[in-house]
Amino acid sequence: MTGERFDPSIADGRWQAAWDEAKCFEADSASDKPKTYVLEMFPYPSGRIHIGHVRNYTMGDVLARYHAMRGREVLHPMGWDAFGMPAENAAMEKGVHPGGWTYANIETMKGQLKQLGFALDWSREFATCDAEYYGHEQALFIDLFENGLVYRKESEVNWDPVDMTVLANEQVIDGKGWRSGAEVEKRKLNQWFLKITDFAEDLLAGLDTLEDWPQKVRLMQENWIGKSQGLEFSFDLSSGDKLPVYTTRPDTIFGASFVAVAADHPVAQAVAADDATAQEFIALCKRGGTTAAELETAEKLGFDTGITARHPFTGAQLPLFIANFVLMDYGTGAIMAVPGHDQRDFEFATKYGLPIPRVVAPSVDEAAKPFDGEAEAGEGVLVNSDFLDAMPVEEAKAEVISRAEKSGWGKGTTVWRLRDWGVSRQRYWGTPIPFIHCLNEDGACGVVPVPRDQLPVKLPEDVSFDTPGNPLLRHPTWKHTECPKCGGAAQRETDTLDTFVNSSWYFLRFASQPADKPFDAAEIAQWLPVDQYIGGVEHAILHLLYARFWTRALARCGKLDAKEPFASLFTQGMVTHETYSRKDGPREVYYTPAEVDRSSEGAVLKDDGQPVQIGKVIKMSKSKKNVVDPEDIIRDYGADAVRWFMLSDSPPERDLPWSEAGIEGCGRFVQRLWRLFGQFDEAASGEDKDLARRTHQTIAAVAEDIEALAFNKAVARIYELTSAAEKAKPSADRNHAIRSLLLMASPMMPHLAEEGWHALGGEGLVAKAAWPQVDEALLVNDEVTIAVQHKGKLRDTLTAPADASKDDLEALALASEKVQRSIDGAQIRKVIVVPGRLVNIVT
RNA sequence: GCGGGCGUGGCGGAAUGGUAGACGCCGGGGACUUAAAAUCCCCUGUCCUUUGAGACGUGCGGGUUCGAGUCCCGCCGCCCGCACCA
């Protein structure tokens, strides 16, 4: 029998050790069982596990444990997304080595994950900064190169002149470097690119097959890929050049009243070459910020070049402007402007007094309708457009494209918003790009891949971070090598790969990890695709798109036979908490939940007993101090209460408000279940048909809920059956209910379940036990409650046999005194009977 | 601007078109106890000058239906993503 109270401080460690010893969670690729791959997005080892990780991994853990109970061979691995900037920042601030810092964090965080009792296959653990892992990654990068999916190109980057490094767009704040505060420059650098655009069409089409992905994520990727179809054609310029433009609205071509190019456009550069005013204007355009807010308010500015462009149909000469709202890196960097039907063109034309012709109208009769202060981008029919008049928009688009193609001055084209993926980073803490630049003056060798037998290209250990810039570049010896082709002097590539490359194939390495190659295709085929992938929605685009791309790219290289890496995706909500703060003059001072005593009346600071302001429930963040440390709450309540809280109440896709009262309630329930286990009575016999039914119905429903990731509902059902079992008298059926509750709760509260299983004399570990069987016959009740309505309003309920006929139910309903009182002698026109549910009498 | 999501008690939230508010939290009352903790029981949407198998009630206004939180149309509010993408 079980003791007074369940003590997690003893039980948690005991069972974690038992699982380790039994190697409970090591996945066997050779197993005959059907396979299930459950994966949560692996963490960046920033220092400590935070509550968001706990929620994410608890969900995955419940699934992993549940599927194992259902007889599946489960792969549930964990590792570390270990390269990245924070390690270098720590190196600069604290003078530690990024590697030492990272591995120490991994040690800490692994210990924290173990404290939560996750059913992880630690035998497959790796960090992406392990030379073994990034060496295989280098080999894959060379594979992509050999298959024409890697290239070098000069491209413009954000350059921080103080830190001497490239910054990502997110690291540029108000035009200044986020660390140095220095004015960011645009620089052209030779950078490595991956040809993700080769797969644009396929990545887009593949979204339709991902039925078990959130629609939101699919739409976000669709928008990101940004397929648009239109017409590309060239204007003949008065300068003698040809100017290619791209438009998605070829139908409005008769409404074009000017032409515009981007400031970086060759035509603009040519004009500026001998025109100082143009030069000034271009400089002005470049200075403009790129944040959303700035663009929102930015005025449309233009510079009239004096050049004109000949309209392909009318022959009219349209003025050519350099304009600040035209982007060089989309389409051709030049546009035909149709002010009547494009808002930006409208604003520009208004400002510079250019004509705004109408070429689309609600009907042909409204060809002269004036504009109401803005462009009209909607549907309609063409007007003032010669041979297009009266055609609907779609038809007119096709007609213009067909005429342009016939006359040879333009063609229908598809343009993508998706850009090739620039993967060069001028950083130390990343995968070295495995290439060598031959320094031979004849240039015959060029850039050469590192021979495979020389992989991995390892990062040097002896680096310093006391001066800005890339430590690999200034390392005294590391970069010097010889050309693999000619044997002459050569220099290693000193750029490293974007960390998103590391996370683009880690799920493959988890499934298969031979020493001599990145993975084994046959073994991958056993496990992939990942059956359930779980992570934050913040990765909806970049990581998830890159991983889909890598899977396709590797398939093209013949490395594997798979298309989509993640069959089902789930994006979980954040953990939130209210904030506590006080005004200190103009500043708001925040306090952590641990510094505050919270009651239903309000909150006071423990230090001085004076009230603090209770703020909104928002995402936990260090700056607002509304954080709880997982280790603290595990210590106070035990791993199972924390896990249970993560699953209770809020649906997993929504935000979960953390509350002290909530976790206390979960702690109480852990004890309540424990006491119920103590009620298990070997000697009890006899039936409790009602409880037996509820037990079987609960088993079926909880299974269904877990499979649908509706953990909050599964939790509610376990509460209900617990109440029922507590109230029931001892019987064999009650024992069965208790044992079933233990098994059903085991994926969620595994330590409590093991302790109870042991106390109840269960064989082996509950982690290895089977999910309870459902007796189908007991899923249906033989008596049901029938609602009786009069004109749709509830008037009575009655109990009837589940198989009662429609006629019987009608008769029973009409016999009800309450119903008769409501009908009050009125003529009955109709009686609707839904067997097993209700009777509705219509008068 | 474009795209998407969501509005249900004091709070988190349940509810194949069929008894709205399951379950949890908070709150109130009671039992046990010398007392407290722990535990257990009951109540807990609003209204009532008909306390009743009453009325009202799922953001607002319409509609479909025997029956609408759920489906349709039109609003309002909040949240998220993308964004001078031609």
Side-chain angles (χ1 to χ4, degrees), chain A residues 641-690:
Chain A
V642 173
R643 295 169 58 115
W644 188 248
F645 184 84
M646 291 290 119
L647 302 165
S648 305
D649 296 348
S650 289
E653 69 278 10
R654 277 198 230 171
D655 289 351
L656 171 68
W658 177 270
S659 77
E660 199 68 18
I663 182 70
E664 278 170 15
C666 292
R668 277 200 296 275
F669 184 66
V670 170
Q671 298 301 336
R672 201 174 140 198
L673 256 191
W674 179 246
R675 284 194 301 275
L676 180 63
F677 296 162
Q679 305 285 303
F680 188 90
D681 182 359
E682 294 278 7
S685 63
E687 286 198 340
D688 185 336
K689 205 67 189 288
D690 194 48

Side-chain angles (χ1 to χ4, degrees), chain A residues 237 239 241-244 260-273 278 282 305 307 320-322 328 333-334:
Chain A
L237 299 184
S239 60
D241 296 326
K242 282 195 178 290
L243 177 69
V261 298
D264 314 331
H265 196 279
V267 168
Q269 300 293 329
V271 169
I282 288 170
T305 60
I307 301 171
L320 173 70
F321 287 84
I322 302 170
M328 189 57 220

